[in-house]
Amino acid sequence: MKITWFGHSAFRLDFAGKAVLIDPFFTGNPAFTTDRAAAVDGVTHILVTHGHGDHVGDTVAIAKETGAKVVTNYDLCMYLASQGVQNFDPMNTGGTIDAGGFQVSLVRADHSAGLVEAGVGFPLGSPNGIVVRAAGEPTVYHMGDTDIFGDMALIHEIYAPKIGLVPIGDRFTMGAASAALACRRFFQFETVIPCHYGSFGIIDPNAEKFVAAMAGSATKVVVPEKGVAVGV
């Protein structure tokens, strides 16, 4: 498997002939520096953790361009369908689907979820983390936007993820110390990749505090260059 980070919480997973985008926030993302055409080339699926604009991002446009299947919670799926997405697979917290060659599970996240249009805010289901499992590949857990919570221990027990995509930027998610505590206490990750930092000025500008907080852990911390695939 190859994992590419595009800044903020946007990732691409390439494995077994699949190209999966998670939270493809490209347009308006100050940290997105990759060629957009390359980022979406061959995309087969788009997974969205929750309904905030910095995670839904370019989902509708990419789905229309590529025909990629969109997977997210039911409420958000129905909203995206109303925006023109035709290929979608709704689910909800605790559920697992067969996405065709791999499984997607939605798990709990402690956050909010909704959009604002014409000055009116409306909810779009629950915030989630996403677990991706495929035969012969390491299980990946994208935490979405979340605080630390004790039931992360159950997520580890049920899914045993080996790769963690972990928000660390503080203010809207865990900060470095809480994120490192979550990784150390509740999981046995082989590799963690920090995210949700370095994009907007009101969140942490870099991953240095998280890297320091993970020092001495058996878990490998990878801070990738944006747009450059990392093998895991």
Side-chain angles (χ1 to χ4, degrees):
M1 178 182 289
K2 292 183 178 180
I3 299 179
T4 307
W5 180 51
F6 297 118
H8 208 58
S9 290
F11 287 88
R12 173 171 169 145
L13 313 181
D14 287 275
F15 60 94
K18 308 296 181 183
V20 179
L21 290 179
I22 305 178
D23 289 357
F25 174 41
F26 299 159
T27 302
N29 178 359
F32 182 70
T33 58
T34 309
D35 177 71
R36 187 182 183 281
V40 305
D41 183 44
V43 166
T44 57
H45 297 75
I46 304 170
L47 315 181
V48 185
T49 60
H50 65 288
H52 285 158
D54 59 330
H55 294 261
V56 175
D58 294 41
T59 293
V60 172
I62 296 169
K64 289 179 179 179
E65 293 168 17
T66 65
K69 179 175 287 186
V70 175
V71 179
T72 189
N73 80 73
Y74 179 85
D75 305 71
L76 181 52
C77 242
M78 295 305 101
Y79 170 76
L80 295 174
S82 76
Q83 302 302 300
V85 173
Q86 297 183 351
N87 189 11
F88 56 89
D89 203 353
M91 55 187 307
N92 220 317
T93 310
T96 296
I97 64 165
D98 184 342
F102 67 103
Q103 292 182 315
V104 178
S105 302
L106 292 186
V107 298
R108 172 183 162 188
D110 278 4
H111 194 57
S112 57
L115 286 177
V116 177
E117 289 189 356
V120 178
F122 54 97
L124 288 171
S126 300
N128 289 112
I130 294 176
V131 179
V132 176
R133 291 176 288 174
E137 302 288 349
T139 296
V140 176
Y141 171 31
H142 188 307
M143 292 186 178
D145 282 4
T146 191
D147 186 17
I148 188 174
F149 54 92
D151 284 351
M152 285 180 168
L154 288 175
I155 294 173
H156 169 71
E157 182 176 346
I158 295 167
Y159 302 104
K162 294 302 181 185
I163 310 298
L165 310 180
V166 182
I168 66 162
D170 216 343
R171 185 179 289 265
F172 301 110
T173 70
M174 298 181 288
S178 293
L181 179 61
C183 293
R184 287 174 174 273
R185 178 170 295 184
F186 298 123
F187 298 98
Q188 296 176 16
F189 290 128
E190 293 176 356
T191 302
V192 292
I193 300 175
C195 63
H196 209 277
Y197 71 91
S199 45
F200 298 101
I202 56 176
I203 59 178
D204 281 358
N206 56 58
E208 291 176 1
K209 290 188 289 186
F210 177 72
V211 172
M214 289 295 291
S217 169
T219 299
K220 179 181 181 182
V221 179
V222 174
V223 181
E225 181 181 346
K226 292 190 290 290
V228 177
V230 174
V232 296

